[in-house]
Amino acid sequence: VQLQASGGGLVQTGGSLRLSCAASGLTFSSGTMGWFRRAPGKEREFVAAIRASGGNTFYTDSVRGRFTISRDNAKMTVYLQMNSLTPEDTAVYYCAASGQRVITSMLRNPNGYPHWGQGTQVTVSS
């Protein structure tokens, strides 16, 4: 399984970025996809997740209303549209994948996802 994340970069406060994560080697259309992030000096935290059909999405409170997770099963790609970015969003962002449904109680837990991408840096300047 390979997950290739891209789209990170440097942006000013209030700006936008769209992260992409291209997957291969797993049953993408059946699995749950997630985004996590790790800020400097902090533990990895859940950002967003999306079910196989794309109909159910989940967000951590700090990004709800600003970030949107989506997926294109035909392209085996998951996206994270990030708007109204603040310096608190600065982190390395990781995409995570499971080839099957992740139960709701594990959606926000990194242990719910067996596959991880390499991470992409997002830096928001003030």
Side-chain angles (χ1 to χ4, degrees):
V1 175
Q2 288 191 330
L3 301 174
Q4 184 67 45
S6 61
L10 174 64
V11 64
Q12 291 185 332
T13 296
S16 299
L17 285 172
R18 188 174 85 150
L19 305 183
S20 300
C21 177
S24 61
L26 80 164
T27 310
F28 184 87
S29 60
S30 300
T32 300
M33 299 294 294
W35 286 97
F36 289 74
R37 65 187 180 186
R38 176 174 282 160
K42 296 186 178 180
E43 295 188 353
R44 183 171 44 181
E45 68 167 346
F46 170 79
V47 176
I50 186 167
R51 293 273 192 227
S53 66
N56 290 344
T57 56
F58 307 85
Y59 299 93
T60 192
D61 288 345
S62 63
V63 309
R64 187 174 291 112
R66 300 188 297 122
F67 290 12
T68 302
I69 188 171
S70 61
R71 64 191 292 163
D72 185 331
N73 286 344
K75 295 183 178 179
M76 296 182 65
T77 301
V78 63
Y79 305 96
L80 186 68
Q81 177 66 44
M82 306 185 295
N83 298 329
S84 302
L85 286 162
T86 74
E88 288 68 37
D89 296 314
T90 294
V92 178
Y93 284 70
Y94 299 90
C95 66
S98 173
Q100 57 191 4
R101 184 181 184 276
V102 176
I103 61 174
T104 302
S105 61
M106 289 296 290
L107 275 173
R108 293 168 172 79
N109 189 326
N111 292 328
Y113 304 83
H115 310 295
W116 290 83
Q118 84 287 3
T120 185
Q121 176 71 46
V122 172
T123 303
V124 185
S125 63
S126 58

